Amino acid sequence: AASLGQVYRAMTHEGIDVAVKVQRPDAMSILAKDAMCFRVLLAIRDFVKVVTNSETNDEKVRKKQDIGTVINRVARDILREIDYEQEAQNSKKYRDSLAFLGFVTTPTVVHEYSSKRVLVTEWVKGDHLDKLSTEEGLAMTRMAVEACTASLVLTGYVHADPHEGNLMFSNDGRIVFLDFGLMSEVDDFIMEAFARGIQGTLAEDWREVTKAFKDSGFITDPISYRANDKEKWHTFGIDEVTGEDLGLAQLAQDMEKGMKKVEGGTSRFGALATVLNKELSPNWLMFTPPYVLLLIRTFLTLEGIAAKVDPDFNIYETAMPWAMRRALSPMTEDGIKAFRSTLLTESNRIQWARLMDLLKENDAGVGDNRDITEDPDLVEIDTETSELKSKAATQHVVADALGTLLGSSEGKTLRR
């Protein structure tokens, strides 16, 4: 069953085995009523607060990013979700965007039988997670994380609802994504910020993670702080000489303390979400734009799937290769400057020693503790500690990304 429609198995006159998704007849009416009810209730709430002068400082500060903004975004996305012609286009666009991976596909749409309220696709020959062996489940999970990370940091076209029912492991060993009503498009600066956040978390570089949050709009610029909920939000501080935001260092320290206390700090995305919500948000002003909510939902969903097949699954290690590729092929002006400063001197000459160090580290990391599976993109690290795992994974993907990008169109920044 689909949330806004019902799915049936059928066969066309031509003998093609198909899945037929039929929209519920009252879907549009229900959505319109729900959206209107929410808007009316929020309007009444806002009116009462203005009349009684009971609006809190928090509500005034977050006025442009309150629950009403989220409801408007969800209503807009769901409206697109019930247009099955749009969903068919989304399916093809997503498949084409990740074709370079070689293991991602989507059901083929049978256009002659499809319309805005009926979507017909060829029947997928494969199984969902609950019917897979442990090995198949782990393989599908790795592919799902890699595909979603690649879409988040490289292509910018993200499947925002990758739950178990929307993922299948095909008989030919590929992952099949289903249901393309809820999609999210990510800007270049957000892709680069998320890539840096993944790298920073795996390396436990909390200052870099904090900068990534700031660049993505998740925290304010300059950073705002309050010692307790009775204080008003204020800028933490700016260095009068350098102009540096002093909140970066302090927030990074608080984040480090929180991540060390929570279980799975550098392996589970949910741990980071917990620290942000419970440890940091009471004192540090954070915004959650609707697109961030969708991206957080994507990774929390994937992490929940991974936990079922491997309790020790590290979502950051699996995502790391694609984060590295984005870092080595920046598209924004700030990203290019940061990257060039990493490998170039002030006189614009290549720092060959630093570049060679990256490659030498990879050579040193190749040994008995790394087992490459038949699929070169699926790297299994077999070491006794998570620190060694992270180091070996980082070494491998840096050299792999460097080698690939030097010869590809994406590597023009690196070659320049």
Side-chain angles (χ1 to χ4, degrees), residues 21-270:
K21 182 161 75 169
V22 182
Q23 188 178 123
R24 301 186 191 281
D26 56 352
M28 176 65 81
S29 174
I30 292 174
L31 290 175
K33 290 176 183 176
D34 287 348
M36 185 56 66
C37 286
F38 275 117
R39 285 171 177 152
V40 169
L41 287 173
L42 287 171
I44 293 174
R45 184 203 66 174
D46 291 344
F47 175 75
V48 170
K49 286 185 175 294
V50 170
V51 171
T52 59
N53 194 29
S54 60
E55 190 174 42
T56 66
N57 180 51
D58 252 19
E59 289 172 328
K60 291 177 181 178
V61 171
R62 301 177 189 274
K63 195 68 175 179
K64 294 182 179 181
Q65 293 191 339
D66 61 6
I67 191 172
T69 307
V70 176
I71 290 173
N72 287 336
R73 173 62 185 265
V74 171
R76 187 190 72 187
D77 287 340
I78 292 180
L79 185 62
R80 292 176 180 175
E81 190 172 356
I82 61 177
D83 182 348
Y84 288 169
E85 289 180 347
Q86 180 63 53
E87 182 174 344
Q89 294 176 23
N90 293 346
S91 174
K92 183 179 185 304
K93 181 177 178 179
Y94 189 74
R95 180 175 65 240
D96 292 346
S97 71
L98 294 176
F100 65 92
L101 291 178
F103 55 75
V104 177
T105 189
T106 65
T108 301
V109 176
V110 185
H111 291 281
E112 55 266 37
Y113 294 110
S114 300
S115 66
K116 279 188 175 293
R117 297 181 63 180
V118 177
L119 180 63
V120 181
T121 61
E122 292 185 7
W123 190 261
V124 176
K125 296 179 180 179
D127 292 298
H128 290 284
L129 183 65
D130 60 346
K131 299 291 181 61
L132 300 178
S133 66
T134 301
E135 292 75 16
E136 290 173 330
L138 183 57
M140 187 186 78
T141 301
R142 286 182 179 275
M143 286 189 282
V145 173
E146 288 198 41
C148 289
T149 307
S151 64
L152 172 60
V153 302
L154 289 181
T155 71
Y157 193 60
V158 181
H159 192 299
D161 197 19
H163 60 74
E164 287 183 46
N166 286 339
L167 299 174
M168 292 185 71
F169 191 65
S170 67
N171 292 345
D172 62 3
R174 293 184 294 173
I175 186 171
V176 185
F177 282 82
L178 310 174
D179 193 351
F180 296 88
L182 192 58
M183 306 297 291
S184 182
E185 296 193 60
V186 185
D187 293 331
D188 290 338
F189 76 95
I190 298 296
M191 287 193 280
E192 290 184 10
F194 266 80
R196 296 203 318 275
I198 292 170
Q199 292 173 265
T201 301
L202 197 54
E204 298 186 38
D205 183 348
W206 305 116
R207 186 181 180 88
E208 185 61 33
V209 174
T210 303
K211 289 171 64 178
F213 284 152
K214 185 177 179 180
D215 292 344
S216 64
F218 193 72
I219 57 178
T220 57
D221 184 10
I223 294 175
S224 295
Y225 172 83
R226 65 181 181 185
N228 54 66
D229 58 6
K230 295 181 180 180
E231 283 190 11
K232 290 187 176 181
W233 294 108
H234 60 273
T235 300
F236 185 85
I238 301 294
D239 189 301
E240 296 181 358
V241 178
T242 64
E244 179 185 2
D245 189 338
L246 300 177
L248 272 175
Q250 186 59 53
L251 178 52
Q253 287 182 24
D254 289 356
M255 187 181 299
E256 180 177 9
K257 292 176 183 177
M259 294 298 279
K260 285 183 176 180
K261 286 194 300 183
V262 70
E263 182 181 355
T266 58
S267 62
R268 295 191 303 107
F269 187 79

Side-chain angles (χ1 to χ4, degrees), residues 101 103 138-150 153 198-199 202 266-268 299 302-303 306 309-310 312-325 377-381 389-390 393-394 396-397:
L101 291 178
F103 55 75
L138 183 57
M140 187 186 78
T141 301
R142 286 182 179 275
M143 286 189 282
V145 173
E146 288 198 41
C148 289
T149 307
V153 302
I198 292 170
Q199 292 173 265
L202 197 54
T266 58
S267 62
R268 295 191 303 107
F299 276 84
L302 289 172
E303 194 163 78
V309 295
D310 181 6
D312 297 322
F313 187 90
N314 190 323
I315 194 168
Y316 294 112
E317 286 182 0
T318 306
M320 186 64 167
W322 311 109
M324 287 298 302
R325 290 184 187 228
D377 284 323
L378 299 181
V379 181
E380 294 185 359
I381 315 263
K389 285 184 179 182
S390 300
T394 303
H396 174 65
V397 300

Side-chain angles (χ1 to χ4, degrees), residues 286-415:
M286 298 180 181
F287 289 121
T288 310
Y291 71 85
V292 170
L293 285 177
L294 289 176
L295 299 179
I296 290 174
R297 178 189 178 189
T298 295
F299 276 84
L300 287 177
T301 301
L302 289 172
E303 194 163 78
I305 294 173
K308 293 186 177 182
V309 295
D310 181 6
D312 297 322
F313 187 90
N314 190 323
I315 194 168
Y316 294 112
E317 286 182 0
T318 306
M320 186 64 167
W322 311 109
M324 287 298 302
R325 290 184 187 228
R326 167 53 64 194
L328 294 173
S329 56
M331 300 181 70
T332 65
E333 184 176 343
D334 289 342
I336 291 173
K337 286 180 179 178
F339 173 68
R340 289 174 67 86
S341 67
T342 300
L343 292 180
L344 297 180
T345 65
E346 292 183 0
S347 58
N348 225 27
R349 292 182 176 276
I350 296 176
Q351 299 188 63
W352 289 108
R354 182 171 294 180
L355 185 59
M356 293 305 294
D357 282 343
L358 290 174
L359 298 175
K360 286 178 181 178
E361 284 179 3
N362 175 71
D363 291 337
V366 178
D368 294 338
N369 60 342
R370 199 186 69 182
D371 174 34
I372 306 297
T373 64
E374 290 180 1
D375 184 342
D377 284 323
L378 299 181
V379 181
E380 294 185 359
I381 315 263
D382 183 18
T383 57
E384 295 182 354
T385 68
S386 59
E387 291 182 4
L388 290 176
K389 285 184 179 182
S390 300
K391 182 177 180 181
T394 303
Q395 291 165 345
H396 174 65
V397 300
V398 167
D400 178 61
L402 280 170
T404 301
L405 287 167
L406 280 169
S408 70
S409 59
E410 290 179 338
K412 59 184 180 182
T413 304
L414 180 59
R415 292 191 297 274

